[in-house]
Amino acid sequence: MINLKEKTAIVTGASRGIGLEITRVLASRGANIAMIATKENKELASSLEAEFNVKIVSYACDVSSSEMVESTFKNIIETFGAVDILVNNAGITRDGLLMRMKDEDFDDVLRINLRSVFICTKAVARHMMGRRQGRIINMASINGIRTQAGQANYAASKAGVIGITKSNSMEFAARGVTVNAVAPGFIQTDMTAKLNEDTINKFKENIPMKDLGKPADVANLVAFLASDEARYITGQIIGVDGGLNA
């Protein structure tokens, strides 16, 4: 079983969906967690802390703001003593056809999905490299590899995540810090819950495994990549998509 005891992880976008499941799975493996979201949620953090018997603290932070990230991450390092794992999971969608897409919809998606990876990684890189150990896991998407109409902003942001993952992995490898990305396919989230049954069935028909993934499928891979067992894996983009991108 993957053991993350005495490790500390920062998880962005941690209050719901895949981010919350990542928080739960890492905590279940013994990791202490700094949960980052747009709003502080002390009640959720306390509930998870009691459930898993690890230290969990909630922080409100705009992960696209250099100043807020620098201040928050400094606070986290002081509170926990060190940071071993960073999961760059924060993300949004603003889908729409290019001719109708507003400039701010394009900019907002790039700011949250891609700029945040740059800022948050930069905030822990010196700390991790100084300790000669660390795990950085970025949330990409199958849509950064093979996309569809109406997602010019989202596809560009996730393709950018793939690019920065590969570049940073080369920069940090000699200092014992690995950088990988997870590329989910169609995962059961609040977003897919709003779709009608016919639409979901059409999605399933295109997936070789004929089923949607679950947040735990993504979180379990994140836990492995965060572990000592994954020490020799870096610069990889690993799909969790039921064979959709095979």
Side-chain angles (χ1 to χ4, degrees):
M1 182 176 176
I2 292 169
N3 184 355
L4 299 176
K5 287 183 179 180
E6 299 183 1
K7 304 286 188 182
T8 294
I10 296 175
V11 182
T12 70
S15 64
R16 60 188 178 86
I18 291 174
L20 179 55
E21 187 64 21
I22 290 170
T23 297
R24 292 182 62 84
V25 169
L26 295 184
S28 74
R29 302 299 192 268
N32 300 311
I33 312 287
M35 299 177 66
I36 293 184
T38 53
K39 295 181 180 180
E40 186 179 25
N41 194 330
K42 291 183 179 180
E43 184 176 342
L44 176 60
S46 295
S47 174
L48 292 170
E49 193 172 52
E51 180 179 357
F52 296 108
N53 194 31
V54 295
K55 184 173 183 176
I56 300 181
V57 182
S58 173
Y59 297 85
C61 180
D62 176 359
V63 290
S64 68
S65 165
S66 297
E67 293 77 12
M68 287 191 70
V69 167
E70 184 176 349
S71 174
T72 302
F73 280 35
K74 181 180 179 181
N75 187 2
I76 291 169
I77 292 171
E78 290 175 352
T79 299
F80 288 86
V83 171
D84 305 282
I85 303 155
L86 169 63
V87 183
N88 284 309
N89 170 73
I92 61 171
T93 58
R94 295 284 188 273
D95 291 355
L97 296 176
L98 182 69
M99 297 301 293
R100 299 176 185 172
M101 186 177 290
K102 298 177 181 178
D103 288 2
E104 54 265 35
D105 288 339
F106 186 89
D107 293 342
D108 285 349
V109 171
L110 269 291
R111 180 173 57 84
I112 298 298
N113 295 9
L114 179 56
R115 177 179 166 82
S116 68
V117 175
F118 163 70
I119 292 172
C120 292
T121 300
K122 189 176 180 181
V124 299
R126 190 182 300 276
H127 171 75
M128 287 184 173
M129 287 193 290
R131 300 177 69 230
R132 302 191 75 85
Q133 63 178 21
R135 301 283 184 268
I136 298 172
I137 300 125
N138 300 326
M139 198 57 59
S141 169
I142 191 172
N143 288 311
I145 303 168
R146 47 172 293 185
T147 188
Q148 54 192 340
Q151 291 194 314
N153 49 5
Y154 188 77
S157 72
K158 294 304 184 178
V161 169
I162 290 171
I164 198 171
T165 297
K166 289 180 173 292
S167 180
N168 287 345
S169 72
M170 297 177 71
E171 291 185 34
F172 304 160
R175 294 297 185 94
V177 179
T178 66
V179 188
N180 293 289
V182 177
F186 293 103
I187 306 297
Q188 292 176 355
T189 61
D190 293 342
M191 189 183 304
T192 58
K194 298 175 183 177
L195 301 175
N196 61 51
E197 187 175 351
D198 287 342
T199 301
I200 291 176
N201 286 334
K202 287 179 181 178
F203 282 145
K204 288 181 178 179
E205 282 302 311
N206 291 323
I207 300 170
M209 291 187 72
K210 305 302 180 187
D211 197 9
L212 302 185
K214 298 178 180 179
D217 297 322
V218 179
N220 289 333
L221 175 58
V222 170
F224 170 69
L225 292 173
S227 72
D228 292 340
E229 285 81 354
R231 70 163 199 91
Y232 203 59
I233 300 172
T234 195
Q236 302 305 303
I237 316 302
I238 305 175
V240 183
D241 57 21
L244 188 58
N245 195 48

